[in-house]
Amino acid sequence: MIIFKKAAAMQAYLRTQRTTGSHIAFIPTMGALHAGHTSLVKAAATKNGNITVCSIFVNPTQFNDKADFEKYPMTVAEDVVMLTKAGCHVLFLPDVDEVYPNGFTDGADRDFGYLDTVLEGARRPGHFRGVGQVVARLLQLVQPSVLYLGQKDYQQVMVIKELLRQMGSDTTVEIIPTTREADGLAMSSRNRRLTEPQRALAGVIYQCLVSIQTKQGQAPFAIVQKECETLLRDKGFEPEYVALADAEMLGLMSDYEQGKPTVALIAAHLGSVRLIDNMML
Ligand code: AMP
């Protein structure tokens, strides 16, 4: 694996790779990597003709909570080992000046409309603007043919697809299923911040998603939603939302609708850690 800190050097390398017919597959991350991230890298790296580029950049502009940014884990040495083992070809490790040479406000004015008003958008003001800003900039630097994204961040996938549409980009998107721990907890860099007792409880979010899925057609969603919120509170979580939404537009649904592609989404705090997860019904 080749590590680039400077975009110009990486771009020169990728240009030569493109002339030999390679396609650039890109996996943007914020580091503190786990098996969820490497599942994206492996999916890209095992495709013939792909040069796999992973970036690690903890983007300050997408943190609506300053403390969350300051506590965000950094494990670059371990990340390099994991990426090498996963078959990654290029690691882009830029500093802030490389990503934002014209300051943090440059490109911060994207509008994702409805998507930025619902669920994560409503609870994390400015978050998706920051995501759009950094992904647009990274796309400009890497110019990938294909972008690998995790279903774990369902709404983020929708925002990035909308970003690509707004940019008129022909980069395609591959969505990779969520990698989970044995108890169902979706892997996340933030899980490292859970205490041992909190970690032992964290699988409850997944149990709630499974119950939302299995009770489809058996009980009204309002009842299942209440049960989930009560269970989460009993276990010490502070639920932000337990929601049902249409899988294509993310329109909120008050009840199950047969035959409609639907996604269940949960966000909840456990101590100071905010966890999100989702499941297609
Ligand atoms: P992050 O480092 O949190 O910005 O995530 C980088 C990419 O990895 C995003 O596309 C995430 O959706 C994806 N990702 C994070 N956690 C998981 C997981 N448990 N399973 C699959 N993909 C994931």
Side-chain angles (χ1 to χ4, degrees):
M1 184 172 74
I2 312 176
I3 303 177
F4 292 101
K5 293 196 152 195
K6 297 289 175 197
M10 175 185 67
Q11 286 170 316
Y13 175 78
L14 294 180
R15 257 195 305 277
T16 57
Q17 295 301 315
R18 273 191 206 93
T19 57
T20 62
S22 292
H23 295 282
I24 311 301
F26 180 41
I27 302 117
T29 82
M30 298 204 297
L33 301 182
H34 49 67
H37 295 113
T38 53
S39 76
L40 273 61
V41 173
K42 285 177 189 163
T46 50
K47 274 246 167 93
N48 261 346
N50 271 359
I51 289 286
T52 307
V53 179
C54 178
S55 64
I56 295 179
F57 179 66
V58 184
N59 173 36
T61 71
Q62 73 186 69
F63 285 83
N64 53 310
D65 176 355
K66 195 164 172 272
D68 189 30
F69 174 60
E70 279 160 3
K71 284 185 282 184
Y72 205 84
M74 295 275 270
T75 60
V76 176
E78 289 95 325
D79 293 351
V80 167
V81 174
M82 286 183 79
L83 288 173
T84 308
K85 280 191 186 149
C88 187
H89 301 111
V90 171
L91 169 59
F92 182 40
L93 203 58
D95 63 21
V96 167
D97 293 340
E98 201 68 6
V99 178
Y100 296 116
N102 304 316
F104 287 141
T105 51
D106 191 35
D109 50 358
R110 289 199 179 269
D111 183 356
F112 299 109
Y114 169 74
L115 276 178
D116 205 10
T117 65
V118 70
L119 300 170
E120 290 301 285
R123 269 75 179 190
R124 303 187 64 189
H127 169 64
F128 286 131
R129 251 170 220 267
V131 169
Q133 183 188 19
V134 76
V135 173
R137 175 68 178 143
L138 291 170
L139 287 170
Q140 184 190 30
L141 295 176
V142 178
Q143 294 185 17
S145 314
V146 47
L147 190 57
Y148 280 75
L149 301 171
Q151 196 204 312
K152 155 88 179 14
D153 299 284
Y154 192 88
Q155 194 169 354
Q156 176 171 278
V157 172
M158 298 180 90
V159 166
I160 293 175
K161 281 186 170 174
E162 170 58 19
L163 171 73
L164 291 168
R165 198 194 60 75
Q166 288 180 10
M167 292 171 72
S169 167
D170 51 14
T171 299
T172 58
V173 171
E174 291 281 337
I175 304 168
I176 304 299
T178 304
T179 304
R180 300 180 179 283
E181 304 283 0
D183 65 350
L185 174 66
M187 289 191 182
S188 164
S189 307
R190 291 185 175 84
N191 295 352
R192 295 167 195 251
R193 287 174 31 214
L194 296 171
T195 62
E196 231 174 84
Q198 286 172 339
R199 172 62 196 88
L201 293 170
V204 173
I205 293 181
Y206 177 71
Q207 288 168 24
C208 287
L209 289 168
V210 171
S211 87
I212 295 170
Q213 190 182 56
T214 51
K215 289 182 181 166
Q216 184 176 18
Q218 294 171 21
F221 176 64
I223 304 281
V224 184
Q225 184 185 41
K226 270 259 140 36
E227 286 171 1
C228 290
E229 286 169 355
T230 305
L231 178 63
L232 286 165
R233 285 209 178 86
D234 287 351
K235 299 285 181 187
F237 289 81
E238 192 55 59
E240 272 192 9
Y241 57 78
V242 174
L244 215 52
D246 106 69
E248 271 138 36
M249 306 301 290
L250 219 64
L252 295 180
M253 293 161 57
S254 54
D255 205 352
Y256 298 107
E257 285 179 50
Q258 261 224 313
K260 185 165 178 167
T262 303
V263 59
L265 307 106
I266 295 181
H269 290 265
L270 190 49
S272 65
V273 184
R274 186 175 184 278
L275 299 170
I276 60 167
D277 200 353
N278 67 83
M279 189 176 283
M280 297 295 292
L281 301 199

